[in-house]
Amino acid sequence: MQEDHIHEMTMENYSIFNQQIEDAGGLDLMLLGLGSDGHFCGNMPLVTKFESLSYEAEITEEYPWYGVFADIYKAYDQPVARSSVTMGPLSVLKAKEVLLIVSGASKAEALDRLSNGPITEEFPASVLRLHSNITVIADEDALQLID
């Protein structure tokens, strides 16, 4: 990939990131993973709002997923950030195609809930069902609860 085709979202540019994507013609493909708690990108349970474009999300110890962030920062010998930026649900849904990769038995319940549960902000990935062109690639372990 050409260096000038890589655009990192940061605290400094997240508020204009969506406009930059739109000005460049939009996203052809959004590649995502599914978290066992239903998160995708940084769209975590308890903080995700479906109407959000790219946004800054607070990181506090009260959230059940705080440990995940703490482990990541610890691996880099860094203190846990107070917030992070991510592409929100509306940003992701604007992509022409979404490819969701799901792997492992620990994701089986999440994949089942994504496929069959209600669309709710408590399970952020549920919003992906609203995309008109989504492909899910899952291994046998992740598919064990799907009929």
Side-chain angles (χ1 to χ4, degrees), residues 6 19 29-30 43 45 60 71 74-75 85 94 104 108 116 118 128 131-132 137-139:
I6 299 171
Q19 188 61 52
L29 176 67
M30 185 75 176
N43 294 289
T60 69
D71 290 345
K74 184 178 180 181
V85 292
K94 287 183 175 190
N116 301 306
L128 298 174
H131 198 283
S132 63
I137 297 175
D139 65 12

Side-chain angles (χ1 to χ4, degrees), residues 24-35:
L27 293 175
D28 292 322
L29 176 67
M30 185 75 176
L31 175 63
L32 303 171
L34 175 65

Side-chain angles (χ1 to χ4, degrees), residues 13-14 40 75 106 129 132 142:
N13 73 358
Y14 79 91
F40 66 98
S106 65
R129 290 197 351 239
S132 63

Side-chain angles (χ1 to χ4, degrees), residues 2-82:
Q2 295 176 358
E3 200 61 38
D4 64 336
H5 290 175
I6 299 171
H7 305 282
E8 181 181 4
M9 183 169 42
T10 66
M11 289 290 193
E12 290 74 34
N13 73 358
Y14 79 91
S15 64
I16 61 169
F17 202 69
N18 293 290
Q19 188 61 52
Q20 290 174 327
I21 291 170
E22 193 172 312
D23 292 348
L27 293 175
D28 292 322
L29 176 67
M30 185 75 176
L31 175 63
L32 303 171
L34 175 65
S36 59
D37 60 358
H39 81 268
F40 66 98
C41 299
N43 294 289
M44 307 300 286
L46 305 179
V47 298
T48 299
K49 302 293 181 222
F50 284 166
E51 69 275 3
S52 297
L53 291 167
S54 296
Y55 65 99
E56 179 180 6
E58 183 180 37
I59 301 173
T60 69
E61 292 183 28
E62 289 79 39
Y63 292 128
W65 42 263
Y66 177 83
V68 173
F69 278 83
D71 290 345
I72 292 168
Y73 282 94
K74 184 178 180 181
Y76 291 96
D77 199 29
Q78 297 288 320
V80 178
R82 295 179 188 199

